Amino acid sequence: MSQTSSPARLAAVRSRIAAAAVADKRAAEAVTLIAVGKTFGPEHIRPVLEAGHRVFGENRVQEAKAKWPQLRQDYPGTSLHLIGPLQSNKAKEAVLLFDAIHSIDRPKIAETVAEAMLKQGRKLELFIEVNTGEERQKAGVLPRETAGLLRFCREELKLAIAGLMCIPPADEAPGIHFAFLAKLAAELDLAQLSMGMSADFETAIHFGATHVRIGSEIFGQRA
Ligand SMILES: *Cc1c(COP(=O)(O)O)cnc(C)c1O
């Protein structure tokens, strides 16, 4: 593995994001970099916070609960995004801990999150996760059921949805999935697109990503 420090890798990722955005005639600031610290302990995350980065992602509620309350206290202004699947029984905790959830994928979880937000007086930025590859084991609403879920959120729950998220199948070229998600978001009048990871974020930006979720390219390979 490379010996480069995480702040150096963060800087390299930032300039690649800026270059990809500019190549597409968009401002670098139009793309939010979510640094995904899952599996890495606070000692690995602190250097990235010290370098001034303030937007992070985690995929498990329990792990975030163990790591982030102290880090957030030490680095005010940090925002935390839940990018992994969410169970209803963790929704309350998730709403308390996170500022954004990228994995709304069924009416039940939308309902539980809406209730918790109301009760806690908190407003999170929410994304509907779409299973663009229609993979059996994968989280996310099916493409043809996305409009219905969005309508349920908007009309029944009065829940604001910011955008769509996807994780393309590992064994397929991601571009077609990013293009598909962008088209679906445009049809549904949704402005935000959470797509692109370490291996494919430049492609995602080309197709209009507003949020890229990058772990290993910043923190190194996960164990
Ligand atoms: C782990 C994870 C990422 C980051 O993956 P890398 O390939 O390490 O950049 C992005 N999105 C989700 C949903 C993840 O679980």
Side-chain angles (χ1 to χ4, degrees), residues 76-108:
T78 298
S79 84
L80 198 57
H81 293 238
L82 176 63
I83 59 173
L86 178 59
Q87 308 300 321
S88 295
N89 62 3
K90 299 260 169 64
K92 255 199 264 180
E93 271 182 321
V95 167
L96 205 60
L97 267 167
F98 291 92
D99 303 289
I101 297 176
H102 293 236
S103 49
I104 302 293
D105 65 354
R106 55 196 191 280
K108 170 79 179 159

Side-chain angles (χ1 to χ4, degrees), residues 133-196:
E134 308 204 11
E135 294 172 280
R136 260 177 186 287
Q137 319 298 345
K138 209 158 205 169
V141 63
L142 291 173
R144 62 179 171 278
E145 292 169 2
T146 306
L149 177 59
L150 179 66
R151 199 176 319 114
F152 175 77
C153 291
R154 283 175 172 164
E155 291 171 17
E156 304 293 321
L157 304 176
K158 310 294 174 209
L159 194 61
I161 299 292
L164 300 180
M165 178 270 223
C166 78
I167 308 169
D171 56 352
E172 286 180 32
I176 190 165
H177 294 273
F178 297 150
F180 177 82
L181 196 74
K183 181 168 173 285
L184 189 57
E187 283 168 11
L188 298 172
D189 201 19
L190 291 168
Q192 309 298 323
L193 282 170
S194 166
M195 56 190 200

